[in-house]
Amino acid sequence: MARVVVDVMPKPEILDPQGKAVQGALPRLGFSGVTEVRQGKRFELEVEGEATPERLEEVRRMAEVLLSNPVIEDFEVHVVDHTVAEAAGTVTGQVTA
Amino acid sequence: MARVVVDVMPKPEILDPQGKAVQGALPRLGFSGVTEVRQGKRFELEVEGEATPERLEEVRRMAEVLLSNPVIEDFEVHVVDHTVAEAAGTVTGQVTA
């Protein structure tokens, strides 16, 4: 069993009203220093078997066909070793892909 | 300038109708072998200065107060070296955090 994540974000040239709303709310809540916020989607998939190149290519096609709208969104597929639930509330200082 | 991502996912014990809808659609589109789909949110933040522990702790508070609903969602904060837009369409085989 492999855990594969598909991250989907609005393309940079596409307006992102949800991200702008968050960005506008931050100063009102006393947070400063955030210059840009973009909001997108995260899909956590559990797939049978190993995360072989063929399996990941199939997930890439799922992302293209179902999980994203390629006209207005970019996506990235990556294998992860833990879910957000397993890491709940943690802050990872190191740079990750 | 640092790029910080907040991933927000429904807690495991919370129903996720969006994820279930995706999971149900996959076989109809000819995709098999996906045993679980959960759908959440991804926020890409640009913050001023370096990603110091203090700065990341502030982002953690933003996640707690504004970006997630701690009753029904888990979140994780991590620093990234690229945005989804910069990696658009790529498939990363290696396991990342």
Side-chain angles (χ1 to χ4, degrees):
Chain A
M1 206 260 313
R3 285 160 173 177
V4 184
V5 162
V6 179
D7 288 316
V8 178
M9 296 298 296
K11 283 180 187 280
E13 65 270 27
I14 299 289
L15 287 175
D16 173 15
Q18 291 178 302
K20 286 286 172 227
V22 169
Q23 199 178 336
L26 287 171
R28 293 197 297 273
L29 293 166
F31 296 110
S32 61
V34 175
T35 54
E36 174 87 20
V37 180
R38 305 283 285 175
Q39 180 173 344
K41 288 177 281 188
R42 173 186 170 96
F43 297 91
E44 290 183 351
L45 277 63
E46 277 187 16
V47 301
E48 284 169 4
E50 296 294 307
T52 59
E54 295 73 30
R55 213 83 188 78
L56 291 174
E57 173 57 24
E58 201 182 1
V59 174
R60 200 191 60 74
R61 286 205 309 276
M62 293 176 203
E64 223 167 45
V65 171
L66 180 64
L67 306 180
S68 78
N69 177 345
V71 177
I72 58 167
E73 292 170 326
D74 291 317
F75 68 86
E76 185 182 0
V77 175
H78 51 118
V79 182
V80 293
D81 61 359
H82 67 271
T83 62
V84 168
E86 287 162 0
T90 61
V91 176
T92 312
Q94 72 267 31
V95 174
T96 59
Chain B
M1 208 257 317
R3 285 161 173 175
V4 184
V5 162
V6 180
D7 287 318
V8 178
M9 296 298 295
K11 282 178 188 282
E13 65 270 25
I14 299 289
L15 288 175
D16 173 16
Q18 291 179 301
K20 286 288 172 227
V22 169
Q23 199 178 335
L26 286 172
R28 294 196 298 273
L29 293 167
F31 296 110
S32 61
V34 176
T35 54
E36 172 88 19
V37 179
R38 305 282 286 174
Q39 179 172 345
K41 289 176 281 187
R42 173 185 170 98
F43 296 91
E44 289 183 353
L45 277 63
E46 278 187 16
V47 301
E48 285 169 2
E50 296 295 307
T52 59
E54 295 73 31
R55 214 82 186 80
L56 291 174
E57 172 57 24
E58 202 182 359
V59 175
R60 200 191 59 73
R61 287 205 310 275
M62 292 175 203
E64 223 167 43
V65 171
L66 179 64
L67 306 180
S68 78
N69 177 347
V71 177
I72 57 167
E73 292 170 325
D74 291 316
F75 68 85
E76 185 183 0
V77 175
H78 52 118
V79 182
V80 294
D81 61 358
H82 66 272
T83 62
V84 168
E86 286 161 0
T90 62
V91 177
T92 312
Q94 71 267 30
V95 173
T96 59

